[in-house]
Amino acid sequence: MRKNYLEIKIIVYLSNINKPTSINELQLKVWGYHLKLETHTVETHIYRLRDKISKFFKNEKFIVSQK
């Protein structure tokens, strides 16, 4: 249940800001983590969320990453 809640929070946050954001910003705004925390939580959630959106909505560009 918590995983789905966080996925919804990510979608809502990204749609509200409607601009590119960093992993650090997502950690702070969605999870409430401090910026210097070393974790792959955000990347894992984004990966799973992209996979679900791609399968159900056939949209592969809903969440785009830049390096």
Side-chain angles (χ1 to χ4, degrees):
M1 177 69 147
R2 174 108 171 116
K3 181 174 67 172
N4 292 335
Y5 172 74
L6 288 170
E7 289 174 352
I8 292 167
K9 281 184 72 172
I10 293 168
I11 291 170
V12 169
Y13 182 76
L14 292 175
S15 66
N16 285 337
I17 64 167
N18 198 27
K19 67 177 179 76
T21 187
S22 68
I23 289 171
N24 288 340
E25 185 176 339
L26 286 173
Q27 282 179 339
L28 183 62
K29 301 295 184 175
V30 176
W31 278 264
Y33 292 169
H34 296 284
L35 296 176
K36 295 191 180 194
L37 182 65
E38 187 66 36
T39 180
H40 293 286
T41 300
V42 175
E43 293 96 329
T44 302
H45 275 80
I46 295 296
Y47 173 81
R48 291 180 181 152
L49 191 53
R50 268 195 201 115
D51 189 49
K52 287 179 182 179
I53 290 169
S54 176
K55 285 178 184 173
F56 292 110
F57 300 106
K58 309 297 186 227
N59 185 344
E60 306 225 353
K61 298 190 181 204
F62 183 79
I63 300 174
V64 178
S65 294
Q66 296 178 350
K67 293 191 178 210

